[in-house]
Amino acid sequence: MPLSDMQKPVEPSTEHRVTHHDGTSRTVYVTEREIAYPDGRLIISRTDLDGVLTHANDAFVELSGYTREELIGQPHAILRHPDMPKAAFKDLWDTVGAGKKWHGYVKNLRKDGAHYWVYATAVPNIRSGKTVGYTSVRRKPSRRKIEELSAVYKEWLAAERSQA
């Protein structure tokens, strides 16, 4: 099920058209506001094999700005920030698809157009020898690493756009 377009926020924002790995696209709005990752909290979510959310803990719900009902059944890409290069997510999917643990820094888009950074770990959920879905645990990221990776991600995005 394709994601619907975001509602334009009240605060100043820029409009972006985001295309997802399955070819669907949606309009999102991005503000300059960053929400600080709360100390001592872990964001935990689970998805099925297609990346559709099946579980979101309270910290996930609070930080994303969505209700649990709005999140469950939606692709995890509902949080996809246009500043995130496709290469970062390709690495994530290639790694977990190979049955391995993935770590990385991700800039997420909230429902209200603000953003927040996470340090994410994603692992396959294996039952009876078969991968049945994925679990992701996010924690407070390093500000120094965010600054480093913001520059790297901008380079990757520019390269992706030049190839498009």
Side-chain angles (χ1 to χ4, degrees):
M1 168 160 97
L3 291 166
S4 58
D5 291 342
M6 275 179 72
Q7 186 173 354
K8 187 174 173 131
V10 176
E11 65 190 288
S13 61
T14 56
E15 181 178 319
H16 301 264
R17 193 78 184 159
V18 176
T19 302
H20 300 285
H21 72 281
D22 63 1
T24 62
S25 60
R26 74 189 283 233
T27 299
V28 298
Y29 296 92
V30 176
T31 70
E32 293 298 316
R33 188 164 47 93
E34 180 175 358
I35 303 299
Y37 192 101
D39 288 330
R41 301 288 304 268
L42 289 178
I43 293 174
I44 301 170
S45 62
R46 284 191 295 277
T47 70
D48 66 12
L49 291 172
D50 296 321
V52 174
L53 288 160
T54 59
H55 170 79
N57 75 344
D58 290 344
F60 186 125
V61 171
E62 291 165 22
L63 205 50
S64 75
Y66 288 94
T67 66
R68 185 170 280 105
E69 294 74 24
E70 289 172 317
L71 290 168
I72 302 302
Q74 292 296 325
H76 206 292
I78 195 169
L79 302 174
R80 174 87 184 264
H81 195 288
D83 287 353
M84 285 298 299
K86 289 181 173 87
F89 293 108
K90 180 178 182 337
D91 181 56
L92 179 151
W93 284 107
D94 288 351
T95 302
V96 295
K100 298 177 184 164
K101 182 188 297 187
W102 179 88
H103 299 281
Y105 285 80
V106 179
K107 184 178 187 178
N108 283 327
L109 181 64
R110 289 172 41 96
K111 181 180 179 180
D112 63 6
H115 68 275
Y116 61 98
W117 281 91
V118 298
Y119 177 66
T121 301
V123 296
N125 298 332
I126 300 172
R127 305 282 182 272
S128 303
K130 277 187 70 173
T131 300
V132 297
Y134 305 99
T135 296
S136 180
V137 177
R138 275 87 76 208
R139 56 188 56 81
K140 187 171 186 155
S142 153
R143 182 51 55 184
R144 181 183 58 77
K145 283 296 258 179
I146 289 170
E147 290 166 10
E148 285 175 22
L149 285 170
S150 291
V152 170
Y153 288 171
K154 281 180 186 169
E155 290 174 15
W156 290 3
L157 274 173
E160 286 175 6
R161 288 184 182 126
S162 71
Q163 293 172 358

